Amino acid sequence: MPSSIPPLPGLTRYTDWSLVPDGLRTKTQLDRQGLKPGSDPVGQVLYHGNSYAPLYEESAAAPKRPVSLAQRAVLDRARELQYRCRRCGTRETEPLGKGRFCDPCRYAMPLWEQHDQAQTLARELVADPAAVLLVVDVAPDSLPQAQGVAVVGVRDRQVLYAAEVGEYGSPERGAVLDRLDVLLEGRRVVEEPDSMGPHNRYPHALLHLPNSGPVASGRDPLHPWAAPSSHVNQSVTRIWAGWFGWTDRHSSGNACAPWEWSGDLPMPWTRSLDLAADGRSMAGVLHRIADGTEPVWERAAWTVDGHGVGLEVGA
């Protein structure tokens, strides 16, 4: 509702109800008498200090057409629908407003969309012969054997490249980076889980010393496969979290990955010193998501409310 209604040009203004001549009524006053305006407004009166209501001649007013039983039924039905969720059918005590969705459905629908998008992306990756998983391990406390990198094809789960990465600044490290630049050029790169296990198993850790400060997000001009904190390279966690449907709050519509150490929700991939095996495990997860056989969280919002399809808010 507007904060004020400006006066209509060319009409007499009355700044107080006591000044309004007899025979002039507002539309609301006529409605209470079963009448409707039969002519254009002839004046206006100030109310609430900043709004003007048009005034009509009562003598020119016409009787309102009575509402038929069929029309009344339609109006009652429309009024009832304002209280009933159009997705699950639950009746609320207050009108639901635009979209007509109850709160649980408002949380379920975004999670369903993320679930559906995750499967679409997994199917695209599985069907793409150039899509690969990039798995790295540069944890400083696991030297020397655990420092390595592996590239695994998503479609066939074959190991395309596996090597120890060498120390920072060494010719061995430089040779690995050069090999990755050539091997990953033009490919769709999927990173290993980005919120599970050691934080420094990100691909960009191959380029920067541990604890050397924050790394700028976005596509690296020299090594685009190492883009941190961006959507340039998807991660297994983001795809699986969207499919799994877990959320850390019942009122949240954002899917997220439960922490590995929570215990009650085990992750479906392996995390070990065998990077190639880890990559094949994660590729298997993407295949199961694409096939629809990877389990969904039993308390995912759209599963709990019994509706597996979401409608857009405001549709």
Side-chain angles (χ1 to χ4, degrees), residues 45-102:
V45 60
L46 180 67
Y47 70 101
H48 289 171
N50 59 356
S51 297
Y52 282 86
L55 295 170
Y56 303 87
E57 292 181 345
E58 184 178 5
S59 58
K64 293 179 62 178
R65 186 176 63 179
V67 179
S68 67
L69 293 178
Q71 289 174 322
R72 177 61 62 188
V74 171
L75 292 173
D76 291 343
R77 173 62 176 167
R79 189 174 296 109
E80 168 65 19
L81 288 177
Q82 292 299 316
Y83 294 84
R84 196 168 296 278
C85 176
R86 61 192 293 246
R87 182 171 181 270
C88 69
T90 300
R91 193 185 193 283
E92 299 292 332
T93 58
E94 299 291 336
L96 293 173
K98 185 178 181 180
R100 298 204 326 271
F101 295 110
C102 63

Side-chain angles (χ1 to χ4, degrees), residues 192-197 236-242 244-247 256-272 278 281-282 284-285 288-289 294-295 297:
E192 66 172 319
D194 57 0
S195 63
M196 319 301 299
V236 177
T237 297
R238 290 175 184 164
I239 298 172
W240 177 80
F244 191 56
W246 189 88
T247 178
C256 55
W259 293 110
E260 190 173 22
W261 51 83
S262 63
D264 55 341
L265 296 173
M267 300 300 104
W269 49 75
T270 62
R271 298 279 303 206
S272 68
D278 289 354
S281 170
M282 296 172 201
V285 173
R288 294 195 297 274
I289 292 175
E294 175 67 25
W297 187 38

Side-chain angles (χ1 to χ4, degrees), residues 100-293:
R100 298 204 326 271
F101 295 110
C102 63
D103 285 343
C105 283
R106 288 185 183 276
Y107 305 136
M109 290 157 51
L111 286 167
W112 165 262
E113 291 298 323
Q114 294 170 64
H115 166 85
D116 189 52
Q117 292 168 6
Q119 185 175 50
T120 299
L121 179 54
R123 287 175 173 173
E124 291 177 357
L125 292 169
V126 169
D128 186 353
V132 295
L133 268 162
L134 177 60
V135 186
V136 302
D137 187 357
V138 288
D141 57 355
S142 57
L143 292 171
Q145 293 84 3
Q147 282 207 323
V149 62
V151 179
V152 179
V154 174
R155 185 174 184 177
D156 55 13
R157 287 175 263 194
Q158 295 299 310
V159 180
L160 304 180
Y161 179 63
E164 295 184 5
V165 297
E167 296 182 1
Y168 287 94
S170 67
E172 292 79 11
R173 177 68 62 94
V176 169
L177 298 180
D178 292 341
R179 181 74 178 102
L180 291 175
D181 289 341
V182 174
L183 179 61
L184 301 179
E185 184 178 5
R187 290 180 179 269
R188 295 183 68 171
V189 178
V190 186
E191 298 178 0
E192 66 172 319
D194 57 0
S195 63
M196 319 301 299
H199 69 279
N200 48 11
R201 289 189 69 168
Y202 295 124
H204 65 79
L206 292 168
L207 313 178
H208 305 276
L209 286 168
N211 304 319
S212 60
V215 180
S217 63
R219 200 173 182 85
D220 188 297
L222 298 179
H223 311 286
W225 47 267
S229 305
S230 74
H231 295 288
V232 174
N233 302 330
Q234 289 292 338
S235 71
V236 177
T237 297
R238 290 175 184 164
I239 298 172
W240 177 80
W243 168 267
F244 191 56
W246 189 88
T247 178
D248 55 1
R249 300 188 309 277
H250 73 278
S251 60
S252 173
N254 295 320
C256 55
W259 293 110
E260 190 173 22
W261 51 83
S262 63
D264 55 341
L265 296 173
M267 300 300 104
W269 49 75
T270 62
R271 298 279 303 206
S272 68
L273 299 183
D274 188 343
L275 304 187
D278 289 354
R280 288 193 293 265
S281 170
M282 296 172 201
V285 173
L286 295 180
H287 277 262
R288 294 195 297 274
I289 292 175
D291 296 338
T293 57

